[in-house]
Amino acid sequence: MEIVNFAHGEFLMLAMFAAFWFWALWGLDPLLSLPLVVALLALAGLLTHYGIIRQVLKAPMLAQICATFGLAVTLRATAQFVWTARLQNDHNPIVAGRVVVGGIFIGQPQLVAGLVCLLAFIALWLFVTRTETGVALQATAQDRDAAAVMGIPTDRMLALGWAIGLGSVAVAGSMLANFYYVFPDVGVNFALLASLTVALGGFGSILGSLAAGILIGLVESLGGLLIDPSYKTLIVSCSILSS
C-alpha cells in the first residue's frame, strides 16, 4: 500500500505475546492458537488503518513515518509496562526435538515454522494474483485514483491491506513463539531484517520478498557459522549494502 510501517516489528512482538499468553492461560500451543492470533492481529490492522493511517494518507511522507514510528514507540513502551522486560518462553511445544538432514541438525520447531510460513506465503501469493479482490488490491497499490474511478472501494482495500499485513506477521510471531524468547524489544531485530528483505526483494513484490528472505537466511546462518553468531545481523546488513 506504499506506506512504510515502522511498527511492523512491534506487531510481531504483540503476536508473540498473544501466542505465549494463549498457552499460559489456556494451554493452547502456538500451532493451535495460530488462527486466533491471526484474527486478533488482522483486527489490529483494521483498527490501525481507521484510527491512524487513514488520517495521514494524504499527508506528507514524513507525517506517515512519524505516525508509524510513534505507534512503534507506544506499543513497545506499553508492552514493557504491562509485561516488564523479562524474557518469557516457558512452555513445552507440541513439536520439539531435532532432525538430521545431510549431517546438519535442524530443530523441529524451526522446521515446522518454516513450512507453515512457506504455506502462508503461497496462500498470500495466490490470493493477491488469482482472486478478484487481490487484483483490486494491486490496482489500488498502483494507482489509487484510477482504481477509485473504476469503482474499486480503495479505502476498504487499504484497510484490507493492513489486515492482511498484520495477519501475516501474526503467522511469523506465532511460529517464533515456539522457540524464541518473548520480550517487548524482540521485534526490533526482526523489523530490520524485514526492511532489508523488502529492499532486496523489491517493494511490493511477494515472490521477490520470499527469494530475498531465503537468501538473507542463508547469509545469516553461514555468517554466524563461519565468523561469529553475534555478528549475524551485521553480516547481512553489510552484504546487502555492499551489493
Side-chain angles (χ1 to χ4, degrees):
M1 296 292 101
E2 297 184 0
I3 296 174
V4 180
N5 180 15
F6 281 90
H8 200 67
E10 279 61 42
F11 283 114
L12 174 74
M13 174 266 295
L14 291 181
M16 293 178 71
F17 266 114
F20 173 80
W21 285 110
F22 272 124
W23 169 81
L25 297 176
W26 293 293
L28 287 176
D29 187 85
L31 281 172
L32 301 178
S33 64
L34 177 59
L36 298 175
V37 178
V38 170
L40 283 175
L41 267 290
L43 177 60
L46 294 175
L47 293 175
T48 301
H49 170 74
Y50 287 111
I52 300 175
I53 302 303
R54 193 181 187 187
Q55 322 306 323
V56 296
L57 276 177
K58 296 183 179 180
M61 177 63 73
L62 181 60
Q64 298 178 6
I65 292 174
C66 289
T68 57
F69 183 77
L71 178 61
V73 173
T74 301
L75 291 175
R76 201 182 316 158
T78 303
Q80 288 178 346
F81 176 77
V82 174
W83 295 304
T84 72
R86 184 170 67 90
L87 304 181
Q88 303 187 75
N89 191 1
D90 303 325
H91 79 287
N92 297 314
I94 293 177
V95 179
R98 61 185 183 180
V99 295
V100 182
V101 180
I104 300 174
F105 293 94
I106 303 175
Q108 290 191 36
Q110 288 88 337
L111 184 61
V112 170
L115 292 174
V116 170
C117 289
L118 181 60
L119 290 174
F121 241 111
I122 293 171
L124 176 62
W125 180 76
L126 290 174
F127 172 78
V128 171
T129 60
R130 296 290 189 270
T131 67
E132 186 176 335
T133 304
V135 173
L137 273 171
Q138 293 185 67
T140 303
Q142 290 175 11
D143 193 321
R144 215 169 291 166
D145 294 331
V149 172
M150 297 300 294
I152 297 174
T154 55
D155 187 56
R156 276 189 283 174
M157 290 298 105
L158 290 168
L160 179 61
W162 273 87
I164 292 174
L166 296 197
S168 297
V169 84
V171 177
S174 294
M175 294 299 96
L176 279 170
N178 260 325
F179 57 88
Y180 206 91
Y181 283 107
V182 185
F183 56 100
D185 290 334
V186 68
V188 175
N189 286 337
F190 290 109
L192 173 61
L193 289 174
S195 301
L196 293 173
T197 302
V198 171
L200 183 61
F203 198 69
S205 173
I206 297 175
L207 293 180
S209 295
L210 175 60
I214 294 173
L215 179 60
I216 286 174
L218 290 172
V219 172
E220 188 181 39
S221 298
L222 291 175
L225 176 66
L226 299 176
I227 301 176
D228 191 309
S230 61
Y231 293 118
K232 291 191 298 183
T233 304
L234 178 62
I235 293 168
V236 170
S237 303
C238 292
S239 300
I240 293 176
L241 291 175
S242 62
S243 63

